[in-house]
Amino acid sequence: MKILKFGGTSVGSAESINALLDILKQGYEQGEKPIVVLSAMSGITNLLTKMAEEAEQGISFGPALKELESRHFTVVKQLIQIKNQNPVFTQLKIYLNELEDLLQGVLNLRELSSQSKDLIVSYGERCSAFLVSKIAAQYFPESLFVEASSLIKTDSNFGNARVDLQQSELLIRQFVQENPGKFLFVTGFIASNVNGRITTLGRGGSDYTAAIFGAALQAEAIEIWTDVDGMLTADPRMVKKAFPLPILSYTEAMELSYFGAKVIYPPTMIPAFMKKVPIVIRNTFNPSFPGTIIQYDSGRTSYPIKGISSINAISVINVSGSGMIGKAGFSGRLFSLLAHEQINIVLITQSSSEHSITFAVHPADALRAKHLIETEFELELLAKKLEPPVIENELSVLAIVGENMKQTPGMSGRLFHALGRNGINVRAIAQGSSEYNISVIISQADLSKALNAVHDAFFTALKKTLHVFNLGTGNIGSTLFRQLLEQEAFLRDNNDIQVKVVGMSNSRKMLFDVEGISLTSWQTELDSKGETASLETFISRMQQLNLPNCIFVDNTASEEPTKHYLKIFESNISVVTCNKIANSSSYAQYKQLRDTARRHGVDFFYETNVGAGLPIVRTLKDLMTSGDRIIRIEAILSGTISYIFNNFIGDASFHDVVKKAQALGYTEPDPRDDLRGTDFMRKMLILARDSGLAIEAKDVDLGAILPKACLDAASVEDFYLELQKEAAYFDTLKEKAQRENRAIRYIGKLEDGKVSIALELVDEKHPFFNLSGSDNVISFTTERYKERPLVVKGPGAGSEVTAGGVFADLMNAGA
């Protein structure tokens, strides 16, 4: 025997009822005749409740009654043969006439008792179950409509009646024995008291009906057919990666359901739990999917938790004061008071000093709870032994649930790391000794971000999603997008990472898409769909979206974005940048940025500030972190200057080499911007600061490459004229180098706490002697690398290597 319960969406239209019938036919062909428990059509219970409440206020219920009739009659016309329709119309009309009389009575008296309301809403299940039974009778002649009110007996607590399980199970077994071979279609949700008055079973009542029948008959399984594929790892409306769970224990299902999962209601599982009858959650509209089995023991799985549940809106009340310390019975007095007034406590936490108790209630109960406490503890408040209770609103509860959590180290650490890494403040924590559940209270505004961050942290078989906001779509930005697109499969298969560029901007347009902007057509989308660019709006929108694992990427050379770095860090967003300005401005700003990023637990990566894609900054940090001591750093960190001196050999004149470098795009439009050495100075300044020196730009001894007349030329054309005039100066330098078999190098040095950059002639023993093209090179002489320095060498410029460096930083920020 199986019990199949179909929810409101499964009986809400002719199409869904056909889907229901297909499920029954498939089992029928294999000899199955389950007991079918049916809810009211979707929306009908709410409609009946509204009609009753409006009738009490004197508002006409006529239009709503016509809507109710129309929905049921439409299904009759669509699914029942014409010759069989009249008896069905007749019974439905009887129900509707009874309902109209009841509503008219409420309208006349302007009074709606709980008993009357139960009777009114019961017509939803009556009409639905009767209708489906008559449609099914066309395929299953042994179909029989059953009103559960004759079989399930309760007390007289109308609206949420308590079931007499012993009597109800006896009546159910007796009825089934008296109707062998029948295909029973049973009303869910409704029951009756000892006087035969209709009662209802409260929230999840139809599921409860199914569970009562299943327990009474020791059913093989209770199948709850709904519109989802089972119980999911999280709320799919907030967590797109949520997926159905194949197996849950009763305890896990209860924990998940209690904290917001709407698929099943915890009390409905109690009869099944007591008799160890499995409950299966299935999808009427995807019957091939196996769904979720809820059984006595779920066994161990590869996942550390089973799911993440939440309550969207919660209020917290804090009661504190010295009068609570060591006061026996205080908690009992407090919670007995609230229980007596039917105020449900969602979560409780108490400080070990007994100085305060924090508990969560539903927002609708918060003010009433506060007033009750103030009245009950009036004397303690007057004597200043208690502080006035304080309410915090706009909060949510997030809970991780799973039997595997028990005695598994690191569960709390993983949860709080995921929350802290994303800047989510925890207001209160609760964990039972059973270790099935860890619950935290957080800001309601952070709930979606928290759910996604925690889901990524615990379900590592899924891909961690990095949400990227990219500023700058020039050579580096566009190359980065192409590299991300090309590496998408590799990142997915090898790193379990998915990168979504959810915001991008250049100086003209900006575009946002939380599902991710297509990296194949981003240019077209930015031009056609983008709004007018505004840096303030771009950053504000990034903060408002409040996405988990969020990274701001600055692929510009502008000072403006750097002014917002602090605000970005304070929003718990990491920054990856190839922009040198922030790190090479004042030392105070340099230090403030690092301190702020560290304080908020986010990353600040800028590898490309110094050597494009070369691992220079990271190498220095690794040396420092591992306790090595820097003795000396020597570097050539200008690809432009490196190219010029590597080609200033033989018969070539300095003028011609510079001219060629500009033609190849190695220099700025004005080559003096490179040859002044200012950019090189910024790079050495960053390295010096990263090595621990608190220095400013003015402290760097910057040696000149060009004579003063070249630097002071009025224009680029005049600069080249002056360069020709100074040919002898450069030729003398070149001839000396050739004569001594040395190479001309513009070298930055960090030694004894000082930084200098100057032209030098190096011999073949020097690591910078054999340099070609536009390569950068850096030599670290440390306590560990004293005899043979650690050398990093390679291309120090170009969009490919620079974008590659940004890419690497992006992956490190997302680690």
Side-chain angles (χ1 to χ4, degrees), residues 181-256:
K182 294 293 185 182
F183 206 147
L184 305 182
F185 290 81
V186 183
T187 56
F189 183 56
I190 61 176
S192 65
N193 64 9
V194 291
N195 299 318
R197 298 288 186 180
I198 294 293
T199 58
T200 60
L201 303 181
R203 179 185 159 197
S206 292
D207 290 349
Y208 198 12
T209 303
I212 294 166
F213 269 78
L217 301 171
Q218 281 286 268
E220 175 190 337
I222 300 164
E223 295 183 358
I224 307 293
W225 289 83
T226 180
D227 57 357
V228 293
D229 284 336
M231 292 192 76
L232 276 64
T233 51
D235 186 341
R237 294 167 300 179
M238 293 189 185
V239 182
K240 300 297 183 187
K241 295 181 185 176
F243 60 92
L245 294 158
I247 299 176
L248 287 171
S249 70
Y250 293 121
T251 305
E252 289 169 336
M254 283 186 179
E255 291 280 3
L256 285 171

Side-chain angles (χ1 to χ4, degrees), residues 263-279:
V263 177
I264 199 166
Y265 185 54
T268 67
M269 287 184 278
I270 293 172
F273 181 89
M274 299 300 291
K275 298 290 182 70
K276 296 186 180 180
V277 178
I279 298 171

Side-chain angles (χ1 to χ4, degrees), residues 536-770:
E536 291 279 355
T537 305
F538 186 81
I539 291 169
S540 175
R541 194 84 58 85
M542 175 176 69
Q543 293 170 316
Q544 289 166 8
L545 286 171
N546 203 23
L547 297 170
N549 307 317
C550 185
I551 302 170
F552 176 78
V553 179
D554 180 6
N555 279 323
T556 75
S558 167
E559 184 180 2
E560 286 306 308
T562 67
K563 297 175 182 177
H564 297 274
Y565 285 5
L566 275 179
K567 183 166 61 176
I568 293 169
F569 289 142
E570 287 166 354
S571 300
N572 294 92
I573 296 171
S574 296
V575 172
V576 168
T577 181
C578 62
N579 189 337
K580 301 180 197 61
I581 295 174
N583 285 319
S584 59
S585 295
S586 71
Y587 179 78
Q589 177 175 300
Y590 167 91
K591 189 171 187 307
Q592 186 182 24
L593 289 172
R594 266 143 203 78
D595 290 346
T596 306
R598 185 169 56 252
R599 189 167 65 251
H600 288 272
V602 292
D603 294 314
F604 182 28
F605 289 142
Y606 47 88
E607 184 65 75
T608 50
N609 278 195
V610 176
L614 294 179
I616 294 173
V617 172
R618 180 165 291 277
T619 299
L620 175 58
K621 286 186 177 179
D622 287 347
L623 291 171
M624 300 282 292
T625 303
S626 64
D628 204 351
R629 188 178 71 83
I630 305 297
I631 298 172
R632 180 172 60 257
I633 294 176
E634 293 181 283
I636 293 174
L637 297 174
S638 169
T640 301
I641 297 173
S642 182
Y643 174 85
I644 288 170
F645 283 113
N646 283 336
N647 287 275
F648 183 44
I649 55 178
D651 296 332
S653 70
F654 196 75
H655 169 277
D656 291 345
V657 173
V658 174
K659 196 83 170 175
K660 184 178 180 182
Q662 184 182 19
L664 291 171
Y666 288 141
T667 75
E668 297 293 328
D670 186 339
R672 287 174 293 182
D673 292 342
D674 297 291
L675 293 168
R676 281 190 179 93
T678 307
D679 187 61
F680 194 163
M681 179 275 294
R682 291 195 185 105
K683 295 175 180 180
M684 288 301 298
L685 183 64
I686 293 168
L687 284 177
R689 288 172 172 175
D690 279 1
S691 70
L693 296 182
I695 67 170
E696 303 290 352
K698 62 182 176 58
D699 300 323
V700 178
D701 183 6
L702 182 59
I705 295 174
L706 299 172
K708 189 172 184 302
C710 297
L711 291 171
D712 294 343
S715 65
V716 175
E717 290 77 11
D718 290 343
F719 158 70
Y720 277 116
L721 290 174
E722 292 296 332
L723 211 53
Q724 285 179 321
K725 293 177 184 177
E726 298 289 348
Y729 166 78
F730 291 105
D731 287 344
T732 300
L733 183 63
K734 179 176 64 174
E735 288 164 5
K736 181 181 180 184
Q738 290 174 342
R739 187 170 57 251
E740 296 177 4
N741 193 28
R742 292 171 181 259
I744 307 169
R745 299 289 181 251
Y746 193 53
I747 298 175
K749 285 186 180 179
L750 188 161
E751 192 170 12
D752 298 328
K754 295 180 180 179
V755 180
S756 63
I757 306 172
L759 276 177
E760 292 188 33
L761 299 181
V762 300
D763 61 24
E764 59 187 5
K765 294 180 182 178
H766 197 284
F768 296 175
F769 181 81
N770 293 310

Side-chain angles (χ1 to χ4, degrees), residues 167-180:
Q167 184 184 3
S168 299
E169 288 183 4
L170 187 65
L171 290 170
I172 290 168
R173 285 194 292 268
Q174 184 178 335
F175 180 84
V176 171
Q177 288 168 4
E178 290 171 355
N179 291 276

Side-chain angles (χ1 to χ4, degrees), residues 1-6 23-24 26-38 172 176 182-186 207 209-225 277-282 287 289-290 293:
M1 171 66 70
K2 284 184 181 179
I3 313 297
L4 273 59
K5 177 263 175 178
F6 290 91
I23 293 164
L24 297 182
Q26 189 174 357
Y28 190 78
E29 290 170 358
Q30 298 170 7
E32 292 182 6
K33 290 182 184 177
I35 292 175
V36 179
V37 177
L38 297 154
I172 290 168
V176 171
K182 294 293 185 182
F183 206 147
L184 305 182
F185 290 81
V186 183
D207 290 349
T209 303
I212 294 166
F213 269 78
L217 301 171
Q218 281 286 268
E220 175 190 337
I222 300 164
E223 295 183 358
I224 307 293
W225 289 83
V277 178
I279 298 171
V280 187
I281 311 297
R282 302 286 298 274
F289 194 83
I293 299 172

Side-chain angles (χ1 to χ4, degrees), residues 412-425:
S412 298
R414 196 184 299 192
L415 170 65
F416 295 120
H417 179 265
L419 295 173
R421 189 75 173 76
N422 285 280
I424 297 160
N425 185 39

